């Protein structure tokens, strides 16, 4: 782990804009959750560790999964995810203590921070220059922030604010939404549509789909019978995944028409709390983590209503017969028979810790990444052909203590069963990203050197038309006006 080095430690310049918005919210997000009880399946893995006090107050991957941001009592840190063996420390700051929201815009130097010391204030920084771009205040606590190259979304308990990220002008205020105490919302990273999704009901799993580009509602999706626990867009904004508080079924819908495309069953024996959903950048896989010891990965191979016409094997013939018989069974039973199961799984050595997962391409191979509130990043190999059990290949400590010892212990473990990805994996000093338009170096090697003349002395706007948006001058001061819906 790289040595902590705050590039803003020399002092932060005064804010260039400070705006206050009216809103209604009464609850500050709680980034911890009760420990669950689970038993580890019969695998050669360490025994489950009991949940310890959370070392991290928040953690999030950036939009293209090339960077990881964490918040702690002391401040926040940013890491680059360009290598399996080494976790590069990009930036860290202790100027803002007790951070509970930190979001980075792709691999740029723009980072948004919210602290428990001022839970109603959002601060936008350019961390390479140690500059505070602006800060916005609300009359309620900020529960979540989402951003892409066009929009910045601020979610309160009963309202959502949509800003134009280039000049931070407030474009729209969505008022009177159903109470959303966890700040559950999603924003498509595709800035050509900037779709927004948020819960539409207190009692059912209804999803409201909103067009953040045209600032108009799109449709309402009846996703689940129970209330929502997690929602996520794919990279193009053409699909939306959701899970309810039961956590047994995960569904994928088309966007913008809201038609169900896929239905996956995570489990049957117990209800769990789904903590995160994430598509791979190519939208071929969907991963889901929960308060249990298993991360599930589903493969989006065929549509829910698409089945082979003629079975080629005896098992395929029997499967077709079961599907035909399901039309005579009760709806709940027939739905269960048509649900696909996990293509691959990642086994954790703990349960009860809050965690998030994502699927990323690192050194040209697919990886499953899991971050735990205990302060660790787990890296797994994913076999894209055969699936099965993902192989844990690296554990990184995200905090200052114990890094070298834990990684050394991880490196000295006996060789694990080889999978496709584990067999072909080779260290690479600089691997090119397979995703067009993004760099796998997390912005550490290019795109973050901002010419001095591009910094304005007055109001600023963010020019994000390039891959890594610099800060450019913007003449005139604009009065932010909300347009309530």
């Amino acid at each position: 782990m790289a040595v902590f080095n705050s590039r803003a430690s020399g002092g932060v310049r005064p804010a260039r804009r400070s705006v206050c918005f009216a809103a209604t919210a009464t609850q500050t997000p709680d980034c911890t959750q009760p420990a669950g009880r689970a038993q580890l399946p019969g695998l050669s893995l360490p025994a489950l560790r009991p949940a310890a006090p959370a070392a991290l107050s928040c953690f999030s991957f950036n939009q293209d999964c090339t960077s990881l941001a964490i918040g702690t009592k002391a401040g926040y840190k940013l890491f680059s995810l360009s290598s399996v063996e080494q976790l590069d420390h990009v930036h860290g700051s202790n100027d803002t203590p007790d951070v509970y929201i930190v979001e980075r815009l792709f691999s740029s130097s723009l980072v948004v921070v919210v602290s428990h010391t001022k839970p109603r204030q959002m601060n936008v920084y350019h961390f390479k220059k140690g500059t505070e771009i602006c800060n916005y205040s609300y009359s309620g606590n900020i529960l979540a922030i989402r951003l892409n190259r066009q929009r910045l979304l601020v979610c309160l308990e009963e309202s959502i604010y949509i800003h134009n990220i280039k000049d931070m002008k407030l474009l729209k205020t969505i008022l009177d939404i159903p109470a959303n105490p966890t700040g559950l919302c999603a924003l498509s990273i595709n800035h050509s549509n900037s779709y927004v999704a948020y819960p539409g009901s207190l009692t059912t799993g209804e999803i409201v789909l909103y067009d953040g580009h045209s600032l108009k509602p799109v449709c309402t999706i009846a996703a689940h019978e129970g209330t929502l626990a997690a929602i996520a867009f794919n990279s193009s904004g053409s699909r939306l995944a959701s899970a309810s508080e039961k956590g047994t079924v995960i569904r994928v819908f088309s966007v913008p028409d809201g038609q169900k495309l896929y239905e996956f069953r995570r489990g049957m024996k117990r209800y769990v709390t789904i903590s995160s959903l994430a598509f791979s950048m190519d939208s071929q896989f969907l991963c889901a983590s929960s308060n249990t010891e298993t991360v599930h990965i589903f493969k989006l191979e065929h549509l829910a209503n698409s089945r082979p016409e003629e079975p080629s094997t005896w098992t395929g013939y029997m499967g077709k017969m079961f599907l035909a018989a399901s039309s005579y069974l009760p709806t709940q039973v027939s739905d269960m028979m048509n649900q696909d199961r996990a293509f691959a799984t990642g086994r954790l050595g703990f349960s009860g810790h809050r965690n998030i997962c994502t699927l990323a391409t690192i050194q040209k191979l697919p990886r499953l990444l899991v971050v735990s509130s205990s302060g660790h990043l787990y890296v797994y190999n994913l076999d894209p052909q055969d699936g099965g059990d993902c192989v844990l290949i690296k554990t990184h400590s995200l905090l200052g203590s114990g890094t070298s010892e834990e990684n050394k212990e991880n490196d000295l473990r006996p060789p694990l069963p080889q999978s496709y990805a584990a067999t072909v994996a080779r260290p690479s000093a600089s691997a090119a990203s397979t995703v067009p338009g993004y760099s796998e170096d997390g912005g550490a090697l290019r795109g973050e050197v901002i010419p001095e003349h591009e910094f304005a002395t007055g109001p600023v706007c963010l020019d994000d038309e390039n891959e890594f948006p610099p800060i450019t001058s913007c003449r005139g001061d604009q009065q932010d006006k909300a347009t309530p819906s």
Side-chain angles (χ1 to χ4, degrees), residues 33-37 50-51 291 351-353:
Q33 71 181 43
R37 297 181 61 185
N291 58 340
S351 66
H353 290 293

Side-chain angles (χ1 to χ4, degrees), residues 128 142 189 271 301 320 458 482:
K128 283 288 184 180
I142 300 172
I189 69 171
Y271 293 160
E301 293 183 295
K320 185 176 181 180

Side-chain angles (χ1 to χ4, degrees), residues 99-256:
V99 172
Y100 72 93
I101 295 178
V102 54
E103 297 284 344
R104 186 183 184 186
L105 178 62
F106 287 92
S107 296
S108 72
S109 295
L110 187 148
V111 62
V112 182
V113 178
V114 182
S115 168
H116 275 300
T117 59
K118 294 183 179 180
R120 301 182 178 188
Q121 179 174 301
M122 171 187 70
N123 298 88
V124 183
Y125 298 106
H126 187 282
F127 66 80
K128 283 288 184 180
K129 291 292 182 177
T131 305
E132 183 184 64
I133 300 171
C134 60
N135 63 73
Y136 283 71
S137 297
Y138 305 82
S139 63
N141 293 343
I142 300 172
L143 304 181
I145 289 177
R146 303 287 183 264
L147 58 163
N148 62 24
R149 295 191 187 279
Q150 184 188 52
R151 299 288 183 252
L152 187 149
L153 190 76
V154 180
C155 181
L156 278 62
E157 184 172 0
E158 294 181 348
S159 58
I160 293 176
Y161 292 81
I162 301 176
H163 294 262
N164 180 24
I165 201 168
K166 292 186 178 182
D167 56 11
M168 300 309 295
K169 178 182 179 181
L170 179 64
L171 302 177
K172 191 77 172 182
T173 305
I174 305 175
L175 299 173
D176 301 324
I177 65 173
N180 184 13
T182 62
L184 180 61
C185 63
L187 173 66
S188 166
I189 69 171
N190 183 358
H191 60 273
S192 64
N193 52 53
S194 294
Y195 287 119
V196 178
Y198 59 91
S201 172
L202 283 171
T203 57
T204 65
E206 185 178 273
I207 302 174
V208 176
L209 188 62
Y210 189 90
D211 191 330
H213 180 73
S214 64
L215 303 176
K216 296 179 180 179
V218 178
C219 69
T220 300
I221 304 172
H224 302 270
E225 292 183 0
T227 53
L228 293 172
I231 49 179
F233 285 103
N234 68 339
S235 59
S236 64
S238 61
R239 292 173 180 174
L240 176 66
S242 66
S244 71
E245 288 186 345
K246 291 182 179 180
T248 55
V249 176
I250 297 169
R251 296 188 173 100
V252 178
F253 302 89
S254 61
V255 176

